[in-house]
Amino acid sequence: MIKDDDARKLIARIVDGDQSAFRALYDLTISDVSKTVGFLLDNPDGRDDVIQEVYVSLYGALRQYNPSKALRPWLMGIVLRQISSYRRSHWRFQRIKQKSVESSAPPIEHDFSEDVADKVFNEKLLFAVLSLPPKLRSVLVLRFLHEYTREEIAEALSIPVGTVNSRLTRAIQELRAKNFSIKTEGGVAKYEF
């Protein structure tokens, strides 16, 4: 887990010109970033590109970082914006490609890291989560995979807490409609089948 005090010190060093501090910040954050990108991005070929764009954006935005705010939600906001940007450009590219070449593309194969597979242990649940719309999937992943608070999710997505609550409710209702149930006990997600 990213500790805000460590992150603040590293960011101050980066802003002061210490390039080695950016490597340390990268090492501190890459696990959360890669898990989120891996889980939310349908196209495995674009994951490395999105992660690279996240860190390019992060580096450019460090001077605007408010040290009184937690780093994780701010960083996840950057991650989610880059995923959204990639989806839009990938969608446009696919649409153009589809119009120019009338061929069927091979199905997309999902390749998730072992950490995500361990956390989301049931394949049926994984496919049910993947079938959710991106807005619902995002709040579900941040809440149950990364264990963010509703306030942290709201900050990361730049939406009101009420919107987070309604999206979580809708996501859970859609999973229940597919015969899955998610309950929390002490902040830990419990899945019922």
Side-chain angles (χ1 to χ4, degrees):
M1 181 179 284
I2 303 167
K3 294 182 181 173
D4 288 326
D5 289 338
D6 295 340
R8 284 185 193 103
K9 290 174 188 173
L10 288 172
I11 291 170
R13 287 176 42 206
I14 295 165
V15 170
D16 288 340
D18 182 353
Q19 296 299 316
S20 66
F22 190 73
R23 178 62 187 186
L25 183 63
Y26 173 88
D27 291 340
L28 184 68
T29 59
I30 187 62
S31 177
D32 279 351
V33 169
S34 62
K35 283 180 190 177
T36 303
V37 170
F39 198 75
L40 292 178
L41 194 64
D42 296 332
N43 182 358
D45 296 332
R47 290 180 186 152
D48 290 339
D49 292 338
V50 170
I51 291 171
Q52 180 179 356
E53 288 300 318
V54 164
Y55 283 99
V56 168
S57 293
L58 174 65
Y59 187 80
L62 286 175
R63 292 191 186 279
Q64 287 83 37
Y65 173 67
N66 180 352
S68 67
K69 302 275 185 173
L71 177 73
R72 288 177 70 208
W74 182 73
L75 176 60
M76 283 303 128
I78 292 172
V79 170
L80 294 170
R81 284 189 294 279
Q82 289 303 323
I83 290 170
S84 180
S85 175
Y86 177 84
R87 277 192 190 122
R88 279 191 305 274
S89 64
H90 184 70
W91 176 81
R92 282 187 215 116
F93 174 75
Q94 290 300 325
R95 193 167 169 203
I96 291 168
K97 182 178 165 185
Q98 195 173 42
K99 285 182 179 181
S100 66
V101 179
E102 300 268 337
S103 66
S104 64
I108 297 173
E109 294 183 29
H110 296 284
D111 179 25
F112 297 99
S113 70
E114 289 182 7
D115 291 339
V116 174
D118 289 343
K119 196 80 167 193
V120 184
F121 57 88
N122 186 292
E123 188 174 307
K124 290 180 182 177
L125 176 61
L126 178 62
F127 287 116
V129 170
L130 289 174
S131 71
L132 294 173
K135 288 181 179 182
L136 301 182
R137 191 180 342 157
S138 295
V139 294
L140 203 65
V141 167
L142 291 175
R143 179 71 183 110
F144 294 109
L145 181 65
H146 290 298
E147 299 176 355
Y148 277 32
T149 65
R150 286 166 165 66
E151 291 77 16
E152 289 174 326
I153 296 169
E155 187 177 330
L157 297 174
S158 300
I159 59 175
V161 174
T163 304
V164 171
N165 291 335
S166 63
R167 286 182 186 178
L168 276 172
T169 300
R170 267 189 52 214
I172 291 169
Q173 286 172 342
E174 287 193 27
L175 289 177
R176 284 185 180 147
K178 296 174 184 177
N179 296 322
F180 292 102
S181 180
I182 298 178
K183 294 182 180 182
T184 56
E185 293 178 17
V188 177
K190 302 287 182 188
Y191 309 100
E192 294 181 358
F193 310 98

